[in-house]
Amino acid sequence: MAERTFDVVVIGAGPAGEVAAGRLGEAGLEVALVEQHLVGGECSYYACMPSKALLRPAELLGEAARVPGVRAEGLDAAAVLKRRDGVIHDLDDSSQLPWLEERGVTLVRSRGRIDGEKRVRTDDDVLLARNAVIVATGSGPVMPPIPGLKEARPWSNREATTAKEPPESMVVLGGGVVGVELAQAWASLGARVAVVEGAERLIAREEPFASEQVEAALTEAGVDVRTGSKAVSICREGEVAVELEDGSSASGAELLVAVGRRPATEGIGLETIGLQPGKPVEVGDDLRSAQHDWLYAVGDANGRALLTHMGKYQARLAADSILGKDVRIVSDGPLSPRVIFTDPQVAAVGHTLASATEAGLNARAVDVDSSSTAG
């Protein structure tokens, strides 16, 4: 196989990979960006962008209904989905490419696999890195070991955000961010939705009052919310039937699994440099691997904060580290800024009261009615 040499090779062209490659290219380095699917990654095509496009029309409708004198009709599902397709460019990433070209980044359409120190093997050749390799492969959905799940042909976020028509009914397994956002989105477009969450409340990592308000909104929209009972078996015979440990069941035409995500580091050659495939690439606060000073990992691939904006932040820091600057992550992980785009929306940064208490902080809660806040 032919060999090509670059200053830096980036594996994965999602938001974090794009930002790292672009920042290094702007600085004059020769950069190769390796991506086998869509430049822009999960956020642009299967997560942040399409989910917000699905949620926004119902949010506007609800807002209009709260203003006296404003009349608003219901939603046109076909028109909503057509707009969603425009937002994700019909899964065509050609509009993303000029940004890379302007920065001198070489896009390699291929799988990328580490093949020893500073070496990345693609489908056609080997890319050699003079300075560094950056792993920016993102994450994939967790599929729990529930009997019958695989045979039920479940949806992940990809199928759920790109479906061409609303399902007649849907069971959402998982009441975290993805689960509550997509449950509300598809319910607004006419689907009969049930949400199954094994924890005692939805969005369990946020404050209890936020869980209560989101659950109330879902219930008002007709969503059947089941908390405190885990799925124990799944069967598809026409519809999908989900049996719960409390003896009840939920059924629907489709099953969306939204119980979490894991770093997509399987099959990228980590074993060739002594690291464990399928696990997060452990990095320090400069995003450099603890085992190899030439290896960096940014975004979901390092498991520190599975959020798009945090991945971009890490990418900027990693690029600056490669450029010789002294960098250090200020804050990430569960303390990261975060938003859930349901109606009502949930925004947070830093600790919850519970996590602050667990961390030994002397914290107290102060409630302020936002309707009395100027601005």
Side-chain angles (χ1 to χ4, degrees):
M1 301 181 74
E3 294 184 348
R4 292 192 286 168
T5 302
F6 297 85
D7 292 317
V8 179
V9 178
V10 182
I11 307 175
E18 270 191 305
V19 168
R23 196 172 182 88
L24 292 166
E26 286 178 336
L29 271 62
E30 292 183 281
V31 182
L33 180 60
V34 184
E35 176 57 60
Q36 64 176 331
H37 190 38
L38 294 170
V39 174
E42 204 78 7
C43 179
S44 296
Y45 301 100
Y46 302 110
C48 319
M49 298 302 289
S51 66
K52 307 314 169 278
L54 291 171
L55 285 161
R56 181 60 173 156
E59 180 187 29
L60 284 175
L61 190 64
E63 198 166 321
R66 289 189 283 268
V67 179
V70 178
R71 296 176 182 175
E73 299 179 357
L75 300 181
D76 180 337
V80 170
L81 295 180
K82 183 177 180 180
R83 176 178 175 272
R84 184 275 319 271
D85 289 342
V87 168
I88 63 175
H89 302 287
D90 294 304
L91 301 181
D92 177 0
D93 65 359
S94 56
S95 64
Q96 304 274 105
L97 306 187
W99 187 87
L100 294 174
E101 294 169 358
E102 291 167 5
R103 287 154 180 77
V105 175
T106 299
L107 176 62
V108 181
R109 294 281 195 180
S110 171
R111 294 174 298 170
R113 187 176 188 279
I114 295 171
D115 188 29
E117 182 173 344
K118 297 184 182 180
R119 292 171 57 91
V120 175
R121 184 178 294 272
T122 71
D123 294 337
D124 299 318
D125 49 22
V126 174
L127 310 180
L128 306 178
R130 298 185 186 95
N131 299 338
V133 172
I134 302 177
V135 174
T137 48
S139 63
V142 171
M143 289 292 167
I146 301 173
L149 176 59
K150 182 178 180 181
E151 293 75 15
R153 304 185 301 279
W155 281 4
S156 69
N157 65 290
R158 289 196 170 193
E159 292 80 14
T161 55
T162 59
K164 293 302 182 183
E165 60 184 15
E168 179 181 340
S169 54
M170 170 190 290
V171 178
V172 180
L173 202 60
V177 178
V178 175
V180 295
E181 285 190 353
L182 291 176
Q184 191 170 67
W186 285 115
S188 75
L189 296 176
R192 174 173 55 82
V193 181
V195 175
V196 175
E197 169 56 56
E200 292 302 317
R201 59 186 177 94
L202 302 177
I203 52 171
R205 295 182 180 179
E206 302 302 339
E207 298 288 359
F209 76 85
S211 301
E212 293 168 6
Q213 292 186 21
V214 169
E215 180 173 348
L218 290 176
T219 301
E220 184 178 354
V223 176
D224 178 12
V225 178
R226 315 277 190 93
T227 56
S229 187
K230 297 179 181 179
V232 294
S233 69
I234 297 170
C235 177
R236 179 186 280 277
E237 291 182 1
E239 284 198 333
V240 179
V242 180
E243 300 297 325
L244 308 182
E245 61 184 358
D246 64 4
S248 65
S249 65
S251 62
E254 300 294 346
L255 171 65
L256 166 60
V257 177
V259 298
R261 298 183 69 80
R262 61 163 57 97
T265 58
E266 190 80 42
I268 64 167
L270 292 180
E271 68 280 1
T272 69
I273 55 173
L275 300 182
Q276 189 171 356
K279 298 292 185 181
V281 179
E282 184 180 350
V283 296
D285 286 343
D286 61 354
L287 286 310
R288 193 192 303 258
S289 164
Q291 289 79 22
H292 304 283
D293 62 4
W294 54 270
L295 181 68
Y296 291 75
V298 296
D300 292 7
N302 64 36
R304 293 178 65 129
L306 277 63
L307 298 164
T308 296
H309 58 281
M310 295 305 296
K312 291 182 176 183
Y313 166 59
Q314 293 179 8
R316 292 192 293 270
L317 292 183
D320 286 350
S321 176
I322 291 169
L323 292 170
K325 299 179 182 179
D326 184 17
V327 302
R328 181 180 180 84
I329 291 179
V330 175
S331 177
D332 68 350
L335 305 184
S336 304
R338 53 206 183 270
V339 179
I340 303 171
F341 287 89
T342 46
D343 185 9
Q345 294 182 356
V346 179
V349 60
H351 281 291
T352 62
L353 182 60
S355 67
T357 301
E358 291 173 5
L361 301 177
N362 182 16
R364 63 191 179 96
V366 178
D367 295 332
V368 178
D369 187 346
S370 60
S371 64
S372 63
T373 302

